[in-house]
Amino acid sequence: MQFGTNTREFFDQTGKISNFAGRFFSSVAKPRFEAAEFFNQCFLIGYKSLALIALTAFIMGLVLTMQLRPSLVEYGVQSQLPVMVGIAIVREIGPVITALIFAGKIASSIGAELGSMKVTEQIDAMDVSGTNPYKYLVTTRVIATTLMLPVLTVLGDAVSLFGAYIGVNIRSVTSFQLFFTQVFQSLSYGDLVPAIIKTFFFGFAVGIIGCYKGYFSSKGTRGVGSSANSAVVLSSVLIFVIDLLAVQITDLLGLN
């Protein structure tokens, strides 16, 4: 009985989120575009997340290099450390970790913000006043998350590779030029393009889930907290699902 109830809830939730996402695509095609709110959200979602992403990426590159080094030294291939770190960061670790940090910060923020507006009936007031609340609140935020996450990922990869360079030089001496020459020579378009493309889908998932959970938040402060928490959990799960699908597609296309 419990399994059947959970299954029905899963498909019901999936259908509602799909309908919410479909409404987004139809809303984008209709005028007018809220340009001022969009740029404001790009600033809040992108620029305000830059410091956290950069710090996390730097530590990730540094720690990954320090963890890999002993194993490579044991097999006598420590010279391949820049190559291995570069491929791992650009192809998989950088995009996924950046997306998860982004989901933790942005999905919860959007869920809590829209949830608070729902509880205080600000969304209903916007609808009554003639403003399209979906286009103003949801469309701008989803477009901003979709566009800002790839930018943050590229910047995060760059900072993470710099952290890896610092990690390499803790135990040995490698010039800046030699390190990054090895990294970039090992990378191809098959590494870069799929890794960047999937971050657009990561950003879209974070924006849609955060907006959905906040837009349909239940009444009371508990409902707002639940919306923020469930937005982070669900968007994080979707990031892993999208990443799994992306790996399968790139493997079928022979890009791995």
Side-chain angles (χ1 to χ4, degrees):
M1 291 292 292
Q2 185 67 30
F3 177 77
T5 302
N6 291 338
T7 303
R8 284 195 299 271
E9 290 179 355
F10 170 77
F11 284 108
D12 179 63
Q13 193 81 281
T14 302
K16 289 179 179 178
I17 294 174
S18 300
N19 182 62
F20 191 77
R23 187 179 172 187
F24 163 78
F25 290 108
S26 63
S27 176
V28 169
K30 298 176 182 178
R32 74 183 170 93
F33 182 67
E34 301 288 350
E37 178 64 12
F38 165 70
F39 287 115
N40 180 52
Q41 290 303 318
C42 286
F43 174 78
L44 296 175
I45 290 171
Y47 179 76
K48 290 291 188 179
S49 302
L50 182 59
L52 177 61
I53 297 296
L55 177 62
T56 305
F58 179 82
I59 295 173
M60 177 180 66
L62 183 63
V63 171
L64 180 63
T65 304
M66 296 176 67
Q67 291 289 339
L68 281 175
R69 184 181 177 82
S71 298
L72 297 182
V73 170
E74 183 178 351
Y75 291 100
V77 289
Q78 62 268 29
S79 62
Q80 296 300 308
L81 182 58
V83 174
M84 295 186 65
V85 171
I87 292 176
I89 289 174
V90 172
R91 290 186 63 170
E92 192 63 30
I93 298 177
V96 173
I97 296 299
T98 301
L100 291 174
I101 299 298
F102 187 80
K105 183 179 186 298
I106 300 303
S108 60
S109 174
I110 292 176
E113 182 183 9
L114 297 191
S116 299
M117 295 181 71
K118 180 70 174 180
V119 169
T120 56
E121 299 181 347
Q122 295 181 53
I123 294 179
D124 296 332
M126 291 176 66
D127 198 15
V128 171
S129 65
T131 302
N132 187 338
Y134 188 93
K135 195 168 185 65
Y136 185 83
L137 298 174
V138 176
T139 304
T140 53
R141 283 165 173 78
V142 174
I143 296 176
T145 57
T146 304
L147 296 179
M148 287 297 102
L149 183 53
V151 176
L152 290 173
T153 299
V154 172
L155 294 174
D157 286 349
V159 174
S160 188
L161 289 174
F162 179 74
Y165 166 73
I166 299 296
V168 168
N169 281 273
I170 290 178
R171 294 292 183 87
S172 62
V173 178
T174 301
S175 69
F176 185 87
Q177 182 178 358
L178 176 61
F179 177 86
F180 281 95
T181 298
Q182 287 184 279
V183 170
F184 290 124
Q185 284 182 345
S186 65
L187 296 173
S188 64
Y189 286 109
D191 300 317
L192 296 171
V193 175
I196 297 301
I197 290 176
K198 67 184 178 182
T199 58
F200 286 95
F201 293 94
F202 291 163
F204 177 78
V206 170
I208 280 291
I209 297 300
C211 290
Y212 171 79
K213 290 296 183 180
Y215 205 80
F216 296 105
S217 175
S218 57
K219 297 293 184 180
T221 54
R222 179 175 295 182
V224 175
S226 177
S227 296
N229 180 65
S230 58
V232 175
V233 173
L234 187 53
S235 59
S236 298
V237 171
L238 273 179
I239 286 169
F240 285 114
V241 172
I242 294 170
D243 186 52
L244 175 61
L245 293 175
V247 170
Q248 295 298 320
I249 292 171
T250 52
D251 185 56
L252 290 174
L253 295 176
L255 298 176
N256 283 341

